[in-house]
Amino acid sequence: MSKRIDVKDLNVYYSKFLAVEDVNINIEARSVTAFIGPSGCGKSTFLRTLNRMHEVIPGARVEGEVLLDGDNLYDSAVDPVSVRGQIGMVFQRPNPFPTMSIRDNVLAGVKLNNRRISKSDADSLVEKSLQGANLWNEVKDRLGRPGSGLSGGQQQRLCIARAIAVSPQVILMDEPCSALDPISTLAIEDLINELKSEYTVVIVTHNMQQAARVSDKTAFFNIAGTGKPGKLIEYGDTTTIFNKPAVQATEDYVSGRFG
Amino acid sequence: MTGPAPGQVTAPEIDRLEGKDVSTNSLKASTDRGRAGDKIFSGISLAAGVLILAVLFSVAVFLLVQAAPTFVADPAEVTGGNGFTAYILPIVIGTVVAATIALLIATPVGIAVALFISHYAPRRFSRAFGYVIDLLAAIPSVIYGAWGYIVLAPQLAKVYTWLAENLGWIPFFTGPASQTGKTMLTAGIVLAVMVIPIITSLSREIFLQTPNLHEEAALAMGATRWEMVRMAVLPFARPGIISATMLGLGRALGETMAVALVLSPGALVASLVKSGNQTIAAEIALNFPEAFGLRLNELIAAGLVLFVITLIVNMIARFIITRHQEFSGAN
């Protein structure tokens, strides 16, 4: 249960402003792909077009195609709601629902999709998802407590558990560790390594070491200047991008010469 | 910076030589800058808090002292001739019924309108719409009363006749229906119209404050907009909705003018489409100008009862809000 993503000639607009220009990329199933690049280069915007979350912002639209195993997400008959059900997302800041218990947070997405779920099924799903997110041992005794009482790293893993509970095809992560301490970051990175055996994972990160540690492939985005659209500069195996990049700008960025 | 010339004795050194307490720790030097502002501000806020409590206390004392003669009076002398309880109970029920009708209508409508403004309407339109709603809240109640009396009641009279004929077996709709439409149900509806803008304005503000974070979390899981509202917006806004409803209830309970104009009062009846029933606030307003002696004490005692009802309702609301505090996201 994981699908590949192929993006063809994608332009992303906010109203008239072209934010990301002409992206072509093929993301393999069951792999971890990292998007790196300086702030404002459009990597988060591009990530959000992969599950149509950018449409939440008024005026945002795209041209081009995003194919999930060959099916275009932007086909006029496709409902963004069902796209998001298949392509889960983890955000920069942990965002468990504060009014729900840990257990209800995990089940939130499942209850949307099929409203009736027996208690035993729910219990086993909660355990499986929390174990999948490496959180089970820490919270198994307090599943009824509010999710907001956990530490930041635990909350982020709870969000990952919530995302994998609905068995998505793809998990998108938008700088999932930028609000976390190094120990929690390590826990999430370990988790990403485990997730790729079952899911296609796409992660945006500002941390180049993180990209090098977790990803199989890396895409470098850059921007020519303020007000110019972001572009995909180079995409390849992570080892290639970090050791022998083909483009000078990539080398400058990964070697820390700018950005 | 030029220091003292070598050999010269500086002022602090003289102090030290004389055994005075001199400190060289510059952090200890008092900086009056800002301190005064702190003191003034905390004094003002303390005074404001004390003032509110003092006013509340003096109102309570006034009500208690003025109402006291009613409770010790000979039951036969109280209006109705059967003591204060027999006099007050029907209008307490009337007050609660009117406020309940108002809230039953106004809460869902107010929340729905607020949600429409905050999450469904196009942005440009929603701003204008919100402005209109705020204006509605500012219309004086006597105008609502006049509107209810002249426009709404005659229209509703037809509905009431139909209700009495077809649903008369329900105690609330027992006939014969009032031909003028000046009934409890009309009063409740007019109160609802007055309360809706209050609930809408406050709820809208709360809905708009829902963290983007949680709305996106719901949407990213594949929630539709309505599911997102149920999952992220409404739970977040719950305490705010309760507070808004309580403010609305406060207006509904205490509303005098509109009820006085719209309701033709009478004895307590279960039917909401007959004339009859009365609310405390309207009872006080209608009778106060001609009241003296024990009658005046009675009316003030009625006011005391209204005061207590409001207090109890607010305490229940506080209790409901704090009961769920753990899950409010405030931690």
Side-chain angles (χ1 to χ4, degrees):
Chain A
M1 62 172 173
S2 74
K3 292 184 176 174
R4 58 178 289 119
I5 295 178
D6 298 286
V7 180
K8 288 182 184 164
D9 305 326
L10 194 80
N11 291 316
V12 189
Y13 293 87
Y14 290 119
S15 299
K16 286 188 178 148
F17 174 68
L18 178 61
V20 180
E21 188 177 18
D22 198 25
V23 176
N24 286 282
I25 195 168
N26 305 309
I27 296 167
E28 301 293 332
R30 289 166 205 260
S31 70
V32 178
T33 305
F35 293 171
I36 60 170
S39 296
C41 69
K43 53 194 189 308
S44 286
T45 298
F46 175 63
L47 186 80
R48 290 167 68 98
T49 62
L50 298 183
N51 70 344
R52 298 187 66 168
M53 270 304 284
H54 71 294
E55 289 172 22
V56 171
I57 297 159
R61 64 194 168 87
V62 302
E63 290 167 358
E65 289 186 336
V66 177
L67 305 173
L68 182 68
D69 263 10
D71 301 327
N72 186 6
L73 302 186
Y74 287 93
D75 195 285
S76 57
V78 170
D79 183 358
V81 167
S82 60
V83 169
R84 293 173 199 149
Q86 292 204 26
I87 305 181
M89 192 159 196
V90 176
F91 293 84
Q92 191 169 354
R93 280 173 59 200
N95 56 0
F97 296 113
T99 51
M100 291 185 193
S101 66
I102 293 172
R103 184 180 186 301
D104 289 344
N105 260 294
V106 176
L107 293 173
V110 183
K111 284 183 176 157
L112 288 178
N113 295 332
N114 53 342
R115 310 213 164 245
R116 296 261 166 260
I117 178 167
S118 74
K119 192 177 174 301
S120 58
D121 285 355
D123 285 341
S124 60
L125 180 66
V126 168
E127 179 170 351
K128 181 169 153 258
S129 306
L130 285 171
Q131 264 169 352
N134 282 339
L135 190 60
W136 174 251
N137 287 329
E138 291 156 66
V139 300
K140 63 183 174 195
D141 300 322
R142 44 172 171 159
L143 294 174
R145 309 283 303 155
S148 48
L150 299 173
S151 77
Q154 288 172 327
Q155 287 189 25
Q156 194 62 298
R157 277 179 283 152
L158 177 59
C159 293
I160 295 175
R162 182 173 68 186
I164 61 181
V166 296
S167 317
Q169 308 292 346
V170 179
I171 300 175
L172 308 176
M173 298 186 177
D174 189 358
E175 299 182 37
C177 303
S178 62
L180 304 182
D181 67 281
I183 307 276
S184 307
T185 300
L186 203 64
I188 304 270
E189 287 181 7
D190 286 345
L191 178 56
I192 292 171
N193 260 321
E194 290 168 24
L195 289 176
K196 79 172 175 184
S197 61
E198 279 187 69
Y199 304 96
T200 308
V201 179
V202 184
I203 175 172
V204 165
T205 177
H206 263 130
N207 181 332
M208 281 180 279
Q209 285 76 29
Q210 181 170 65
R213 283 193 297 263
V214 301
S215 68
D216 304 309
K217 288 198 155 189
T218 297
F220 171 62
F221 287 78
N222 202 358
I223 185 170
T226 332
K228 301 265 175 55
K231 285 182 182 174
L232 173 61
I233 304 296
E234 191 173 354
Y235 174 53
D237 288 337
T238 298
T239 45
T240 316
I241 294 286
F242 279 92
N243 298 317
K244 273 190 187 156
V247 183
Q248 185 62 38
T250 315
E251 187 172 354
D252 289 348
Y253 186 76
V254 299
S255 61
R257 237 165 282 168
F258 89 102
Chain B
M1 208 175 127
T2 53
Q8 222 169 2
V9 184
T10 59
E13 271 178 65
I14 296 171
D15 285 348
R16 191 164 59 230
L17 291 173
E18 287 174 359
K20 286 184 190 163
D21 175 33
V22 285
S23 168
T24 53
N25 185 345
S26 63
L27 293 176
K28 279 187 177 173
S30 83
T31 49
D32 281 339
R33 179 178 51 82
R35 229 20 92 64
D38 267 357
K39 276 186 186 144
I40 292 170
F41 184 74
S42 78
I44 289 175
S45 28
L46 179 69
V50 169
L51 186 70
I52 286 288
L53 284 180
V55 169
L56 191 68
F57 184 71
S58 75
V59 168
V61 167
F62 154 79
L63 285 172
L64 278 172
V65 169
Q66 292 287 312
T70 320
F71 304 126
V72 293
D74 178 7
E77 285 176 24
V78 174
T79 308
N82 290 312
F84 183 68
T85 314
Y87 163 68
I88 197 73
L89 199 60
I91 59 175
V92 166
I93 295 173
T95 307
V96 171
V97 167
T100 308
I101 296 172
L103 280 195
L104 282 180
I105 300 172
T107 308
V109 174
I111 292 173
V113 173
L115 270 181
F116 174 75
I117 294 173
S118 66
H119 283 82
Y120 285 87
R123 199 175 296 175
R124 204 179 317 155
F125 179 64
S126 75
R127 183 168 300 176
F129 201 68
Y131 186 64
V132 171
I133 296 283
D134 287 350
L135 272 183
L136 281 179
I139 293 178
S141 56
V142 65
I143 293 176
Y144 280 111
W147 168 76
Y149 177 87
I150 294 168
V151 179
L152 190 65
Q155 298 296 320
L156 286 175
K158 299 165 200 160
V159 181
Y160 293 162
T161 309
W162 184 89
L163 279 174
E165 278 167 12
N166 295 284
L167 296 170
W169 50 274
I170 302 172
F172 292 143
F173 301 128
T174 315
S178 158
Q179 291 308 302
T180 56
K182 293 173 73 180
T183 73
M184 202 59 176
L185 193 52
T186 311
I189 292 171
V190 170
L191 286 177
V193 173
M194 297 171 61
V195 168
I196 284 171
I198 297 176
I199 296 182
T200 302
S201 288
L202 291 169
S203 304
R204 180 198 60 198
E205 289 306 314
I206 311 277
F207 292 158
L208 287 173
Q209 282 169 20
T210 310
N212 212 0
L213 220 60
H214 299 133
E215 293 185 3
E216 290 200 333
L219 289 174
M221 279 188 312
T224 62
R225 196 184 292 219
W226 167 234
E227 286 167 334
M228 180 272 280
V229 164
R230 271 199 339 207
M231 202 173 246
V233 179
L234 292 181
F236 170 81
R238 198 171 160 279
I241 292 173
I242 294 174
S243 301
T245 310
M246 285 307 119
L247 276 178
L249 180 61
R251 182 159 197 197
L253 283 175
E255 181 46 48
T256 308
M257 226 32 240
V259 177
L261 285 174
V262 159
L263 180 66
S264 47
L268 181 70
V269 287
S271 174
L272 302 176
V273 297
K274 275 194 214 169
S275 56
N277 293 325
Q278 178 63 307
T279 71
I280 296 178
E283 171 82 3
I284 297 174
L286 288 175
N287 295 298
F288 206 80
E290 287 138 37
F292 59 91
L294 184 61
R295 182 71 178 127
L296 191 63
N297 297 131
E298 264 173 40
L299 292 176
I300 291 172
L304 177 66
V305 172
L306 187 59
F307 187 78
V308 171
I309 293 175
T310 327
L311 222 63
I312 292 172
V313 165
N314 268 302
M315 274 157 62
I316 294 173
R318 280 288 124 207
F319 172 72
I320 295 173
I321 293 173
T322 50
R323 204 166 45 129
H324 285 267
Q325 198 137 52
E326 205 182 12
F327 283 90
S328 70
N331 40 356

